[in-house]
Amino acid sequence: MTINAGCPQGSILGPLLALLYLDELSKQLTNTALFYADDISLYASYTSDTLSHAQISLQNDLNTIENYGRQWAITFSPSKTLTQTFSSRTHHVSPLLTFTGQSITKIDTHKHLGLTLSNDLRFHAHINTIVRKINIALSPLYPIAKFLPRQVLDTIYKTYIRPHFDYCDCIYDGHLTISDELRLERLQNRAARIVTNTLPRTSTNKLRLELGWDSLKTRRKIHRLQLYRKLKDNSTHIPDYIRHMIPEARRQDTGRVLRNADQLTVPHSRTSSYQRSFIPNTSRNWNSLPHCIQSCQSRKQFEQNVKSLHSIPPPSHYLTLGTKLGNTLHTQIRLGMSKLNAHQYSIQKVTTPECACGHNQENTTHFLLYCPLFTTARINLSRQVSAYLCTDFQGFPDTTKVNTLLFGRNTTKHTAPLISAAFQKFLESTSRLS
């Protein structure tokens, strides 16, 4: 359980002075205590058999804090002092505690340094907070997204919205329910549709590849490995009680030369909850890394290698070219979810995939290369692309034509903007996708 003693009401100049002022108090407490500026947290673990002992020791520490405040003219606020019990059991008994003569309020959730802690440590309440913050951050973008370039929207997302997903993700990863994981992923997918101005039901995998965004689950794994590397680094100032939790390699544990001598000994997990927690889970992820990454001496190089191993590659510059409307139409047809009948039929928005020209499938290839309704515009496009590539574009295989127009294959830094502009002009002139 944890007890947060309220903030002292005094003229504290800053967090450092507060810690200096309260340093002597930390030496007088019997239970584990953490200080953050003028906040004090007490921790004690107990079972049903040791409840009375935990209650007595916590109460003694609370009395010590009260006496220390009286001695050094610090006024603690009992109304801000709370107690919370963490347990996997639905029904559990909590210690009955008082502070400055008042009973301490029991709570089920508590926000500590921006992380909402729940009694069951499943972080459902924290996910609710994340979802609420991101919905508030996204709301101003809905009316203006159709006017802003993709690059601007992408920067807004990465600067102001994605940090909400990333904050403390190393802690709550592994303890989320499947439902909460899906809620977070769907929220990022919604942001991706805002950035790209794509239609609903667009493939989420294609969306992330288009933007170069990793799934949130992958980002949490990368962040855990990066933090784990920092904890293993002897040059960093990590508290000993945390460093000692990092398992040793099999070589140190056994003293023998084994085939897996460089692998970490994953801590034994009696419960599935502990198995999914940071140390055991990330230890297994660490063991799965190639040895060249594990032994990387530079922390920056390690982070880059982990990202290159797990992350989606950055998108081509070709995907961001063009005007807002042109890039939107270009993106929609590239991702296979546009207003073409074959795309709409796949999600049962129309009753037939047939083209207005009579062809049985109005798909991307038919629309771009064969539909007789847009022959004139297609001929103009082919002439322009042939001039830019200095070769007969019409003689290319169908797959090469489509890949060149949609993804910028066979283009250079000089020809890509020209071909993209010509293709987007073709899309706008047909008025089929608008």
Side-chain angles (χ1 to χ4, degrees), residues 21-171:
Y21 200 59
L22 297 173
D23 180 64
E24 187 63 29
L25 174 59
S26 64
K27 303 174 184 178
Q28 301 178 20
L29 303 176
T30 57
N31 290 290
T32 303
L34 295 179
F35 292 74
Y36 181 78
D38 52 2
D39 286 334
I40 305 172
S41 295
L42 294 177
Y43 298 85
S45 60
Y46 64 89
T47 63
S48 56
D49 297 331
T50 60
L51 172 61
S52 59
H53 179 269
Q55 179 171 309
I56 293 173
S57 65
L58 287 171
Q59 187 61 60
N60 289 337
D61 282 346
L62 288 169
N63 295 338
T64 300
I65 294 173
E66 181 182 354
N67 294 333
Y68 188 89
R70 188 180 301 111
Q71 178 183 359
W72 294 100
I74 304 174
T75 303
F76 289 98
S77 176
S79 62
K80 294 182 180 179
T81 304
L82 308 168
T83 178
Q84 183 176 10
T85 302
F86 302 104
S87 175
S88 59
R89 297 180 179 180
T90 306
H91 303 287
H92 54 265
V93 180
S94 302
L96 301 176
L97 302 169
T98 61
F99 185 56
T100 66
Q102 300 183 27
S103 297
I104 298 179
T105 304
K106 297 179 182 179
I107 55 174
D108 295 329
T109 60
H110 174 63
K111 188 173 183 180
H112 185 69
L113 302 181
L115 180 67
T116 304
L117 302 172
S118 307
N119 283 358
D120 57 1
L121 288 180
R122 299 307 296 269
F123 297 100
H124 179 69
H126 184 67
I127 300 305
N128 289 339
T129 302
I130 293 177
V131 171
R132 182 168 59 254
K133 287 181 177 179
I134 293 177
N135 280 328
I136 293 174
L138 287 176
S139 58
L141 295 181
Y142 288 107
I144 64 174
K146 58 185 177 182
F147 304 111
L148 297 178
R150 180 202 285 196
Q151 299 94 316
V152 174
L153 292 170
D154 185 72
T155 301
I156 290 174
Y157 170 77
K158 292 178 178 178
T159 305
Y160 297 105
I161 298 174
R162 193 164 67 181
H164 292 302
F165 287 120
D166 293 345
Y167 185 73
C168 290
D169 61 352
C170 295
I171 297 176

Side-chain angles (χ1 to χ4, degrees), residues 284-303:
R284 287 189 293 271
N285 296 149
W286 180 275
N287 287 338
S288 66
L289 291 175
H291 179 70
C292 59
I293 297 181
Q294 292 181 3
S295 58
C296 188
Q297 297 299 317
S298 169
R299 190 173 73 186
K300 183 176 181 180
Q301 186 62 46
F302 173 84
E303 293 177 354

